[in-house]
Amino acid sequence: MSFEEVEDPYIFSTDTLPSDRRFLPPLANGLLGWRVYNNIMHMGGMYNGEGGRCHRADIPCPLAVRVESQEPGQNTYSMNTHTGIFTHTLSSASVSVTQSLYSHRHYPNMMVMEVLMVRQVTSEEPITVNLVGSFTPQSKDIVFESGPDYKGGSYINGKVSTAEYPGGSCPAVHLIWTPIPPTLMLNADQSQGRWGFVLVVANSLESAEAKYDESLDLMATGNLRLSHEKAWKELWLQSTVEVTGSDSLCKALIGSMFYLLSAFPSINDTSSSFGGVSPGGLSNGGDGQDYWGHIFWDQDIWMYPGIALFYPKLARSVLEYRVGTVEGARDNAQKQGFKGLKFPWESAVSGREVCPEDIYGEQEIHINGDVTLAFQHYLYLTEDLSMFTEGKGKEVIYGVADYWVSRVSWNPEDKKYHLLGVMPPDEYYYNVNNSVYTNTVAKFSLQFAVELAELLQDPAPKEWKEVADQLKIPFDEESQYHPEYDGYIKGHPVKQADTVMLGYPLGLEMSPEIRRNDLEAYEPVTDPDGPAMTWGMFAIGWLELGEAEKAQHLLEKCFKNIQRPFQVWSESSDGSGAVNFLTGMGGFLQAVLFGYTGFRVQKECLAFSPHLPKDISELCVRGVSYLGSQMDWLLRKDEVCIILREQGQTAGSTKPCDLQVVLKASGTKIPLTPGKPVTFPLEPGCVCKLVSMSFCWPL
């Protein structure tokens, strides 16, 4: 009797590299990003060019090396998402050679290449392999100079040529790396040999030397790779999203989670130097490609929610990035003639607008509400008020509220405030009035400002509440649906998810009938070749209405954007657009995390309303972080099982509250005890504090 080997869904393997090299796997760690074998890499916060010409600065990568044997052999390429290590194994009759590449998960300034040669047959002949690279210490963005070697390592440094804005700084970059020889040899008396090569990238010589020293120590003690693998293991212990019943869906979820996590800093990183997440991540974004590496609403609306559900520290790093751009946002608002803060449609380091085309920065103002929604989401998940006080998050919330108040116009005819001359998320239209998405997100951000001010006992201008209460939310009474903006003609084409996002993520209250009408109005007219994240939002809408099969059909459209063999997403289904499209992965992940489970992050609870399509027998979501505790969820066809983790396993920054499950229909209350499974029927409910009067806010 033979047993077929079960394929590990966390390992993406192939014997042939993709013909389009853009779909080689990116290796990133929140600071450094590189696409395997590419001559170019990037560093977070390193941009070159002023204003709309600003783009990620290309940094030459010394590790862009291919291993080649002098005799024919079999090639295997693997991206192991358990460990974040890409390997190329070359097996011939006489030798097996394994090249490993990784961006270090714990020490973000380091990238590593290791080569292991193992003799296959007994022989007294030396064996040689070639290391083929084309590294040159040059960049079109940085003028590099060579310096003296440091402890055997080669050294170059340079500055970007043009600042992001007049008078701004030109960041410096310093590289030290182990020189890579053209060949490696296994001597006649060796059965195997191992070599390690480290690249360190930093913003100063002092930092680069210190990090290089650290890498040499780690290598000498055998801890370089171990510390990297341990860091990835810690990450995966805090989040797992797996399904039973669809191998392709399971693999897509794992790939999405892996590449998204790769774009975020280490959970142990306390440097607060995170440069945000761009649509193509750190491995992409040079001049003219992948949106120049700029940060959009993609970060706050599409990528953030799936990460924030598991990792409060990583969620906070996104908010800290936005806090760091407040002065630029203030400058943007002043230039437009308004008060408060206007976050840029496209952001780099300063927060000043760097969109190449003015109209987006001027009109796609929903970005302001998208940013504040992430802050609100964080507060409800963590009750961490320190982010808003010492962390200065309240400056963001209050500044955005002031912007909305100065940006609206009073209309005496309908006695409502209007937002005129905007571009909705659906960028097919511009200079329209009262985009329903923009107005709704503005209303909610004003309401959150009032709520936060009350919580922190800060004075709140009466205009915040007044504008929120009287802001027009377009609605067609006759058709019982939300038109995308004033004057939208039903049936006109739509670029991407827009009005359907009122239900999720915005959470605008509406009847199931209106929710259905919105979905039915926009689904058939949405561009089938539009951005990848769109269909996840439609899927969530149908899951809200209990139509799991309809949702599954839409979710499967996303599979066309996943490029094999390494599960790297393209923005469009034909492979065009941004590569390693994290926005699409984020939307897809949300469709499962907030669709199948029905999770909704609310002020007093984490609501749920599970629905599984017929071909999915189980959904396992481990590590959900809520109010300082972590929960593991298992959804089956007819039941839900939750285990509250023991306190030693939690990773939140707040003191855990006592939690309970409350089922909606029956009102049944089930306390959650650490380490003890709780099982109940598959029905809506919520997780909330055990005693409703208890107060966990760290005041």
Side-chain angles (χ1 to χ4, degrees), residues 297 301-302 366 370 373 424-425 434-444 471-476 480-485 496-511 514-519 522 534 537-538 540-541 544 600:
W297 74 314
I301 288 288
W302 298 101
H366 65 81
D370 304 329
L373 190 66
N434 297 314
S435 147
V436 70
Y437 177 92
T438 305
N439 287 27
T440 302
V441 85
K443 178 188 181 81
F444 289 168
L471 192 56
K472 179 180 180 180
I473 306 298
F475 183 69
D476 185 322
Q480 287 291 295
Y481 94 114
H482 292 96
E484 190 174 277
Y485 53 84
Q496 63 186 63
D498 183 313
T499 308
V500 296
M501 294 173 71
L502 297 181
Y504 176 88
L506 299 193
L508 181 67
E509 284 191 28
M510 66 183 85
S511 68
I514 293 169
R515 184 72 161 126
R516 179 181 296 274
N517 291 345
D518 284 351
L519 290 164
Y522 293 105
T534 286
M537 292 301 108
F538 280 99
I540 289 174
E544 277 183 13
R600 295 293 182 272

Side-chain angles (χ1 to χ4, degrees), residues 650-662:
T650 62
S653 57
T654 53
K655 185 186 174 192
C657 300
D658 292 328
L659 299 176
Q660 64 180 345
V661 172
V662 180

Side-chain angles (χ1 to χ4, degrees), residues 291-561:
Y291 299 104
W292 288 263
H294 296 165
I295 318 301
F296 292 73
W297 74 314
D298 303 44
Q299 170 189 259
D300 313 82
I301 288 288
W302 298 101
M303 305 170 202
Y304 171 89
I307 297 297
L309 195 61
F310 301 104
Y311 302 98
K313 285 184 181 176
L314 300 188
R316 184 166 172 148
S317 69
V318 167
L319 309 188
E320 288 170 346
Y321 166 76
R322 290 297 187 185
V323 169
T325 64
V326 156
E327 289 312 310
R330 198 181 316 281
D331 186 63
N332 297 334
Q334 287 171 357
K335 281 179 177 164
Q336 291 187 359
F338 301 114
K339 295 178 183 174
L341 305 177
K342 163 62 178 68
F343 283 94
W345 179 241
E346 299 187 29
S347 179
V349 176
S350 73
R352 289 166 174 80
E353 184 62 67
V354 292
C355 182
E357 297 178 63
D358 291 344
I359 191 170
Y360 296 95
E362 291 166 1
Q363 295 196 9
E364 207 152 355
I365 60 174
H366 65 81
I367 179 69
N368 261 11
D370 304 329
V371 167
T372 59
L373 190 66
F375 280 80
Q376 185 174 358
H377 194 146
Y378 177 80
L379 184 64
Y380 292 171
L381 278 171
T382 66
E383 294 192 346
D384 173 17
L385 280 177
S386 72
M387 179 63 234
F388 295 84
T389 51
E390 301 97 270
K392 301 184 178 179
K394 69 179 184 179
E395 289 185 29
V396 170
I397 305 306
Y398 300 165
V400 166
D402 288 340
Y403 175 84
W404 292 128
V405 168
S406 70
R407 180 66 172 75
V408 295
S409 305
W410 176 254
N411 185 296
E413 290 178 22
D414 62 4
K415 294 186 169 47
K416 294 282 185 187
Y417 287 102
H418 290 201
L419 282 168
L420 308 177
V422 305
M423 180 184 288
D426 171 15
E427 293 168 333
Y428 284 173
Y429 305 97
Y430 57 91
N431 210 27
V432 302
N433 298 333
N434 297 314
S435 147
V436 70
Y437 177 92
T438 305
N439 287 27
T440 302
V441 85
K443 178 188 181 81
F444 289 168
S445 64
L446 283 160
Q447 289 174 339
F448 181 55
V450 173
E451 179 189 322
L452 184 66
E454 190 176 329
L455 196 58
L456 298 178
Q457 299 180 323
D458 289 334
K462 67 181 192 314
E463 291 86 359
W464 291 355
K465 184 176 187 304
E466 184 185 310
V467 172
D469 290 346
Q470 300 297 323
L471 192 56
K472 179 180 180 180
I473 306 298
F475 183 69
D476 185 322
E477 292 286 352
E478 187 179 332
S479 298
Q480 287 291 295
Y481 94 114
H482 292 96
E484 190 174 277
Y485 53 84
D486 283 356
Y488 172 77
I489 298 169
K490 201 172 182 182
H492 274 206
V494 166
K495 177 186 175 185
Q496 63 186 63
D498 183 313
T499 308
V500 296
M501 294 173 71
L502 297 181
Y504 176 88
L506 299 193
L508 181 67
E509 284 191 28
M510 66 183 85
S511 68
E513 178 200 2
I514 293 169
R515 184 72 161 126
R516 179 181 296 274
N517 291 345
D518 284 351
L519 290 164
E520 289 180 343
Y522 293 105
E523 188 183 319
V525 298
T526 299
D527 187 343
D529 299 317
M533 66 279 190
T534 286
W535 303 115
M537 292 301 108
F538 280 99
I540 289 174
W542 287 116
L543 284 161
E544 277 183 13
L545 298 173
E547 301 208 22
E549 303 315 314
K550 231 173 190 177
Q552 191 67 358
H553 168 69
L554 289 166
L555 205 55
E556 284 170 1
K557 283 189 177 189
C558 297
F559 290 154
K560 294 176 185 172
N561 297 72

Side-chain angles (χ1 to χ4, degrees), residues 102-342:
Y102 53 96
S103 291
H104 206 289
R105 186 68 258 192
H106 186 80
Y107 299 99
N109 298 81
M110 300 178 195
M111 288 173 57
V112 183
M113 178 175 80
E114 297 168 348
V115 179
L116 171 66
M117 289 175 67
V118 179
R119 199 180 283 276
Q120 301 288 73
V121 291
T122 305
S123 166
E124 294 182 4
E125 295 293 319
I127 300 174
T128 302
V129 294
N130 299 325
L131 301 182
V132 182
S134 55
F135 171 74
T136 54
Q138 295 172 347
S139 162
K140 56 184 171 51
D141 297 309
I142 302 165
V143 177
F144 279 104
E145 293 178 359
S146 297
D149 287 1
Y150 180 75
K151 296 189 179 178
S154 301
Y155 167 63
I156 59 172
N157 72 89
K159 280 186 175 182
V160 301
S161 57
T162 311
E164 183 189 320
Y165 60 94
S169 63
C170 290
V173 64
H174 297 254
L175 281 70
I176 304 176
W177 71 95
T178 319
I180 298 172
T183 60
L184 295 176
M185 180 183 289
L186 200 58
N187 293 327
D189 57 347
Q190 288 180 292
S191 61
Q192 67 175 52
R194 195 184 295 268
W195 295 264
F197 305 90
V198 179
L199 164 67
V200 162
V201 186
N203 291 121
S204 71
L205 175 57
E206 184 184 16
S207 175
E209 288 180 348
K211 303 294 183 189
Y212 194 70
D213 288 345
E214 196 166 27
S215 74
L216 294 177
D217 289 345
L218 288 164
M219 232 190 296
T221 56
N223 284 317
L224 186 62
R225 184 175 181 135
L226 287 176
S227 56
H228 167 77
E229 291 183 343
K230 183 186 174 192
W232 266 112
K233 189 176 181 180
E234 282 178 8
L235 271 179
W236 284 123
L237 281 172
Q238 285 191 41
S239 72
T240 308
V241 187
E242 296 173 351
V243 296
T244 304
S246 169
D247 292 343
S248 57
L249 178 57
C250 195
K251 217 167 193 177
L253 288 168
I254 290 164
S256 296
M257 200 73 196
F258 171 72
Y259 291 124
L260 276 167
L261 283 172
S262 298
F264 282 81
S266 162
I267 51 175
N268 304 301
D269 185 7
T270 56
S271 66
S272 298
S273 60
F274 179 54
V277 188
S278 58
L282 278 164
S283 55
N284 301 302
D287 192 8
Q289 53 144 243
D290 300 301
Y291 299 104
W292 288 263
H294 296 165
I295 318 301
F296 292 73
W297 74 314
D298 303 44
Q299 170 189 259
D300 313 82
I301 288 288
W302 298 101
M303 305 170 202
Y304 171 89
I307 297 297
L309 195 61
F310 301 104
Y311 302 98
K313 285 184 181 176
L314 300 188
R316 184 166 172 148
S317 69
V318 167
L319 309 188
E320 288 170 346
Y321 166 76
R322 290 297 187 185
V323 169
T325 64
V326 156
E327 289 312 310
R330 198 181 316 281
D331 186 63
N332 297 334
Q334 287 171 357
K335 281 179 177 164
Q336 291 187 359
F338 301 114
K339 295 178 183 174
L341 305 177
K342 163 62 178 68

